[in-house]
Short mmCIF file of all heavy atoms in Angstrom, two decimals:
data_model
loop_
_atom_site.label_atom_id
_atom_site.label_comp_id
_atom_site.label_asym_id
_atom_site.label_seq_id
_atom_site.Cartn_x
_atom_site.Cartn_y
_atom_site.Cartn_z
N LEU A 1 0.84 -1.20 0.00
CA LEU A 1 0.00 0.00 0.00
C LEU A 1 0.87 1.25 0.00
O LEU A 1 1.89 1.31 0.69
CB LEU A 1 -0.91 0.03 1.23
CG LEU A 1 -2.03 -1.01 1.32
CD1 LEU A 1 -2.83 -0.80 2.60
CD2 LEU A 1 -2.95 -0.92 0.10
N SER A 2 0.45 2.26 -0.73
CA SER A 2 1.15 3.55 -0.68
C SER A 2 0.95 4.14 0.71
O SER A 2 0.03 3.74 1.44
CB SER A 2 0.57 4.49 -1.73
OG SER A 2 -0.73 4.90 -1.35
N PRO A 3 1.79 5.11 1.10
CA PRO A 3 1.60 5.71 2.43
C PRO A 3 0.20 6.25 2.67
O PRO A 3 -0.38 6.03 3.73
CB PRO A 3 2.65 6.83 2.44
CG PRO A 3 3.76 6.30 1.58
CD PRO A 3 3.03 5.59 0.46
N LEU A 4 -0.37 6.96 1.70
CA LEU A 4 -1.72 7.51 1.89
C LEU A 4 -2.78 6.41 1.94
O LEU A 4 -3.71 6.47 2.74
CB LEU A 4 -2.06 8.51 0.79
CG LEU A 4 -1.37 9.88 0.91
CD1 LEU A 4 -1.64 10.72 -0.32
CD2 LEU A 4 -1.82 10.61 2.17
N ALA A 5 -2.63 5.39 1.10
CA ALA A 5 -3.58 4.28 1.13
C ALA A 5 -3.49 3.56 2.48
O ALA A 5 -4.51 3.11 3.03
CB ALA A 5 -3.29 3.30 -0.01
N ALA A 6 -2.28 3.45 3.02
CA ALA A 6 -2.10 2.81 4.32
C ALA A 6 -2.77 3.62 5.43
O ALA A 6 -3.36 3.06 6.35
CB ALA A 6 -0.61 2.63 4.61
N VAL A 7 -2.68 4.95 5.34
CA VAL A 7 -3.34 5.81 6.33
C VAL A 7 -4.85 5.62 6.26
O VAL A 7 -5.52 5.46 7.29
CB VAL A 7 -2.97 7.29 6.10
CG1 VAL A 7 -3.86 8.20 6.94
CG2 VAL A 7 -1.51 7.54 6.42
N ARG A 8 -5.40 5.61 5.05
CA ARG A 8 -6.85 5.42 4.90
C ARG A 8 -7.27 4.08 5.49
O ARG A 8 -8.27 3.98 6.21
CB ARG A 8 -7.25 5.49 3.42
CG ARG A 8 -7.09 6.86 2.80
CD ARG A 8 -7.42 6.85 1.32
NE ARG A 8 -8.85 6.70 1.09
CZ ARG A 8 -9.39 6.54 -0.11
NH1 ARG A 8 -8.60 6.48 -1.18
NH2 ARG A 8 -10.69 6.45 -0.26
N ALA A 9 -6.52 3.04 5.21
CA ALA A 9 -6.85 1.70 5.71
C ALA A 9 -6.77 1.67 7.23
O ALA A 9 -7.63 1.06 7.89
CB ALA A 9 -5.91 0.67 5.10
N ALA A 10 -5.76 2.32 7.80
CA ALA A 10 -5.60 2.33 9.25
C ALA A 10 -6.76 3.05 9.93
O ALA A 10 -7.28 2.60 10.96
CB ALA A 10 -4.27 2.98 9.62
N ILE A 11 -7.16 4.19 9.37
CA ILE A 11 -8.28 4.95 9.95
C ILE A 11 -9.54 4.09 9.97
O ILE A 11 -10.24 4.00 10.98
CB ILE A 11 -8.51 6.25 9.16
CG1 ILE A 11 -7.37 7.24 9.45
CG2 ILE A 11 -9.86 6.87 9.54
CD1 ILE A 11 -7.40 8.49 8.60
N HIS A 12 -9.84 3.44 8.85
CA HIS A 12 -11.03 2.60 8.79
C HIS A 12 -10.92 1.42 9.76
O HIS A 12 -11.89 1.07 10.45
CB HIS A 12 -11.27 2.11 7.37
CG HIS A 12 -11.89 3.13 6.47
ND1 HIS A 12 -13.21 3.49 6.57
CD2 HIS A 12 -11.36 3.90 5.48
CE1 HIS A 12 -13.48 4.42 5.67
NE2 HIS A 12 -12.37 4.69 5.00
N GLN A 13 -9.76 0.81 9.82
CA GLN A 13 -9.58 -0.36 10.68
C GLN A 13 -9.82 0.00 12.14
O GLN A 13 -10.52 -0.72 12.86
CB GLN A 13 -8.18 -0.92 10.52
CG GLN A 13 -7.92 -2.18 11.34
CD GLN A 13 -6.52 -2.71 11.12
OE1 GLN A 13 -5.53 -2.07 11.46
NE2 GLN A 13 -6.41 -3.91 10.54
N VAL A 14 -9.28 1.12 12.58
CA VAL A 14 -9.40 1.51 13.99
C VAL A 14 -10.81 2.00 14.32
O VAL A 14 -11.42 1.58 15.30
CB VAL A 14 -8.36 2.59 14.35
CG1 VAL A 14 -8.62 3.16 15.75
CG2 VAL A 14 -6.96 1.99 14.28
N LEU A 15 -11.34 2.87 13.49
CA LEU A 15 -12.65 3.45 13.81
C LEU A 15 -13.78 2.43 13.64
O LEU A 15 -14.78 2.49 14.36
CB LEU A 15 -12.91 4.69 12.95
CG LEU A 15 -11.96 5.86 13.22
CD1 LEU A 15 -12.34 7.07 12.38
CD2 LEU A 15 -11.97 6.24 14.70
N ASP A 16 -13.63 1.51 12.71
CA ASP A 16 -14.66 0.48 12.53
C ASP A 16 -14.75 -0.46 13.73
O ASP A 16 -15.76 -1.14 13.91
CB ASP A 16 -14.40 -0.33 11.26
CG ASP A 16 -14.69 0.46 9.99
OD1 ASP A 16 -15.29 1.54 10.10
OD2 ASP A 16 -14.30 -0.01 8.90
N GLN A 17 -13.69 -0.51 14.54
CA GLN A 17 -13.68 -1.40 15.70
C GLN A 17 -14.24 -0.74 16.96
O GLN A 17 -14.42 -1.40 17.98
CB GLN A 17 -12.26 -1.89 15.97
CG GLN A 17 -11.72 -2.82 14.90
CD GLN A 17 -10.27 -3.22 15.13
OE1 GLN A 17 -9.62 -2.71 16.05
NE2 GLN A 17 -9.76 -4.11 14.31
N LEU A 18 -14.54 0.56 16.89
CA LEU A 18 -15.08 1.25 18.06
C LEU A 18 -16.51 0.81 18.32
O LEU A 18 -17.30 0.65 17.40
CB LEU A 18 -15.06 2.76 17.85
CG LEU A 18 -13.69 3.45 17.81
CD1 LEU A 18 -13.88 4.95 17.61
CD2 LEU A 18 -12.89 3.18 19.06
N LYS A 19 -16.82 0.62 19.59
CA LYS A 19 -18.20 0.32 19.97
C LYS A 19 -19.03 1.60 19.82
O LYS A 19 -18.49 2.71 19.83
CB LYS A 19 -18.24 -0.17 21.42
CG LYS A 19 -17.48 -1.46 21.65
CD LYS A 19 -17.45 -1.82 23.12
CE LYS A 19 -16.63 -3.08 23.37
NZ LYS A 19 -16.50 -3.40 24.81
N PRO A 20 -20.36 1.46 19.69
CA PRO A 20 -21.20 2.66 19.50
C PRO A 20 -20.99 3.73 20.57
O PRO A 20 -20.94 4.92 20.24
CB PRO A 20 -22.62 2.08 19.55
CG PRO A 20 -22.47 0.68 19.05
CD PRO A 20 -21.13 0.22 19.58
N ASP A 21 -20.86 3.34 21.85
CA ASP A 21 -20.67 4.34 22.90
C ASP A 21 -19.31 5.00 22.80
O ASP A 21 -19.15 6.19 23.09
CB ASP A 21 -20.88 3.73 24.28
CG ASP A 21 -19.88 2.63 24.60
OD1 ASP A 21 -19.58 1.83 23.71
OD2 ASP A 21 -19.40 2.56 25.75
N GLU A 22 -18.29 4.24 22.35
CA GLU A 22 -16.95 4.81 22.17
C GLU A 22 -16.96 5.81 21.02
O GLU A 22 -16.34 6.88 21.11
CB GLU A 22 -15.95 3.69 21.89
CG GLU A 22 -15.70 2.76 23.06
CD GLU A 22 -14.84 1.56 22.71
OE1 GLU A 22 -14.91 1.10 21.55
OE2 GLU A 22 -14.10 1.10 23.59
N LEU A 23 -17.65 5.46 19.95
CA LEU A 23 -17.74 6.37 18.80
C LEU A 23 -18.51 7.63 19.19
O LEU A 23 -18.14 8.74 18.76
CB LEU A 23 -18.42 5.67 17.62
CG LEU A 23 -18.50 6.46 16.32
CD1 LEU A 23 -17.11 6.88 15.86
CD2 LEU A 23 -19.20 5.65 15.23
N GLU A 24 -19.54 7.48 20.01
CA GLU A 24 -20.31 8.65 20.45
C GLU A 24 -19.43 9.61 21.24
O GLU A 24 -19.49 10.83 21.04
CB GLU A 24 -21.49 8.21 21.31
CG GLU A 24 -22.34 9.39 21.78
CD GLU A 24 -23.46 8.99 22.73
OE1 GLU A 24 -23.39 7.90 23.31
OE2 GLU A 24 -24.39 9.80 22.90
N LEU A 25 -18.59 9.06 22.11
CA LEU A 25 -17.69 9.92 22.89
C LEU A 25 -16.65 10.60 22.00
O LEU A 25 -16.30 11.76 22.21
CB LEU A 25 -17.00 9.12 23.99
CG LEU A 25 -17.88 8.71 25.18
CD1 LEU A 25 -17.08 7.91 26.19
CD2 LEU A 25 -18.50 9.93 25.85
N GLU A 26 -16.15 9.87 20.99
CA GLU A 26 -15.21 10.48 20.05
C GLU A 26 -15.88 11.63 19.29
O GLU A 26 -15.29 12.70 19.12
CB GLU A 26 -14.72 9.43 19.05
CG GLU A 26 -13.49 8.67 19.51
CD GLU A 26 -12.30 9.58 19.76
OE1 GLU A 26 -11.81 10.21 18.80
OE2 GLU A 26 -11.87 9.68 20.91
N GLN A 27 -17.12 11.41 18.88
CA GLN A 27 -17.84 12.46 18.16
C GLN A 27 -18.09 13.65 19.07
O GLN A 27 -18.03 14.81 18.63
CB GLN A 27 -19.14 11.90 17.59
CG GLN A 27 -18.91 10.91 16.46
CD GLN A 27 -20.18 10.18 16.04
OE1 GLN A 27 -21.11 10.02 16.83
NE2 GLN A 27 -20.21 9.70 14.81
N THR A 28 -18.38 13.39 20.34
CA THR A 28 -18.55 14.47 21.32
C THR A 28 -17.27 15.28 21.43
O THR A 28 -17.28 16.51 21.44
CB THR A 28 -18.91 13.89 22.70
OG1 THR A 28 -20.18 13.23 22.61
CG2 THR A 28 -18.98 14.99 23.76
N ARG A 29 -16.15 14.58 21.48
CA ARG A 29 -14.84 15.24 21.58
C ARG A 29 -14.60 16.11 20.36
O ARG A 29 -14.16 17.27 20.48
CB ARG A 29 -13.74 14.18 21.71
CG ARG A 29 -12.40 14.69 22.14
CD ARG A 29 -11.43 13.53 22.37
NE ARG A 29 -11.08 12.88 21.12
CZ ARG A 29 -10.17 13.35 20.27
NH1 ARG A 29 -9.55 14.49 20.51
NH2 ARG A 29 -9.88 12.69 19.17
N TRP A 30 -14.87 15.59 19.17
CA TRP A 30 -14.66 16.35 17.94
C TRP A 30 -15.55 17.60 17.91
O TRP A 30 -15.10 18.69 17.53
CB TRP A 30 -14.96 15.48 16.73
CG TRP A 30 -14.07 14.28 16.59
CD1 TRP A 30 -12.78 14.14 17.05
CD2 TRP A 30 -14.39 13.04 15.97
NE1 TRP A 30 -12.29 12.89 16.74
CE2 TRP A 30 -13.25 12.20 16.08
CE3 TRP A 30 -15.51 12.54 15.32
CZ2 TRP A 30 -13.22 10.90 15.56
CZ3 TRP A 30 -15.48 11.25 14.81
CH2 TRP A 30 -14.35 10.44 14.93
N ARG A 31 -16.82 17.44 18.30
CA ARG A 31 -17.74 18.58 18.28
C ARG A 31 -17.31 19.66 19.26
O ARG A 31 -17.39 20.86 18.97
CB ARG A 31 -19.17 18.12 18.58
CG ARG A 31 -19.86 17.42 17.43
CD ARG A 31 -21.35 17.28 17.68
NE ARG A 31 -21.63 16.44 18.83
CZ ARG A 31 -21.82 15.14 18.78
NH1 ARG A 31 -21.75 14.50 17.62
NH2 ARG A 31 -22.08 14.44 19.87
N LEU A 32 -16.84 19.25 20.43
CA LEU A 32 -16.40 20.21 21.43
C LEU A 32 -15.23 21.05 20.92
O LEU A 32 -15.18 22.27 21.13
CB LEU A 32 -15.99 19.49 22.72
CG LEU A 32 -17.14 19.01 23.61
CD1 LEU A 32 -16.61 18.06 24.67
CD2 LEU A 32 -17.84 20.19 24.27
N VAL A 33 -14.29 20.40 20.25
CA VAL A 33 -13.14 21.13 19.70
C VAL A 33 -13.61 22.21 18.73
O VAL A 33 -13.09 23.33 18.72
CB VAL A 33 -12.16 20.17 19.00
CG1 VAL A 33 -11.08 20.95 18.26
CG2 VAL A 33 -11.52 19.22 20.00
N ALA A 34 -14.62 21.89 17.94
CA ALA A 34 -15.12 22.84 16.95
C ALA A 34 -15.95 23.96 17.58
O ALA A 34 -15.93 25.10 17.11
CB ALA A 34 -15.96 22.11 15.91
N GLN A 35 -16.65 23.65 18.67
CA GLN A 35 -17.62 24.59 19.22
C GLN A 35 -17.06 25.52 20.29
O GLN A 35 -17.53 26.65 20.42
CB GLN A 35 -18.81 23.81 19.81
CG GLN A 35 -19.61 23.06 18.77
CD GLN A 35 -20.57 22.05 19.39
OE1 GLN A 35 -20.62 21.90 20.61
NE2 GLN A 35 -21.33 21.37 18.56
N GLU A 36 -16.10 25.04 21.07
CA GLU A 36 -15.62 25.81 22.22
C GLU A 36 -14.42 26.69 21.84
O GLU A 36 -13.38 26.18 21.43
CB GLU A 36 -15.22 24.87 23.36
CG GLU A 36 -16.37 24.09 23.95
CD GLU A 36 -17.35 24.99 24.69
OE1 GLU A 36 -16.93 26.05 25.18
OE2 GLU A 36 -18.53 24.61 24.77
N PRO A 37 -14.55 28.01 21.98
CA PRO A 37 -13.44 28.90 21.62
C PRO A 37 -12.13 28.56 22.33
O PRO A 37 -11.05 28.62 21.73
CB PRO A 37 -13.96 30.29 22.06
CG PRO A 37 -15.45 30.15 21.99
CD PRO A 37 -15.74 28.74 22.40
N GLU A 38 -12.20 28.18 23.61
CA GLU A 38 -10.99 27.82 24.37
C GLU A 38 -10.27 26.65 23.72
O GLU A 38 -9.04 26.63 23.61
CB GLU A 38 -11.37 27.45 25.81
CG GLU A 38 -10.21 26.93 26.64
CD GLU A 38 -10.64 26.37 27.98
OE1 GLU A 38 -11.78 26.62 28.40
OE2 GLU A 38 -9.83 25.66 28.60
#
């Protein structure tokens, strides 16, 4: 795999293994970063 293809594969592999509650917390974390000025 090329470096970029390997990155894409790694992202899918890791995130696809998250349980629904784990993914929800990750999404909460991402939204907070975008919403909170601090």
Side-chain angles (χ1 to χ4, degrees):
L1 291 181
S2 71
L4 285 173
V7 169
R8 292 176 72 186
I11 288 172
H12 282 286
Q13 182 179 64
V14 171
L15 295 183
D16 288 348
Q17 292 176 355
L18 291 181
K19 297 175 183 176
D21 62 320
E22 292 173 328
L23 184 57
E24 181 184 19
L25 287 180
E26 272 300 296
Q27 290 171 335
T28 296
R29 194 174 69 80
W30 298 333
R31 284 193 296 269
L32 283 168
V33 172
Q35 294 167 359
E36 295 292 333
E38 174 189 345

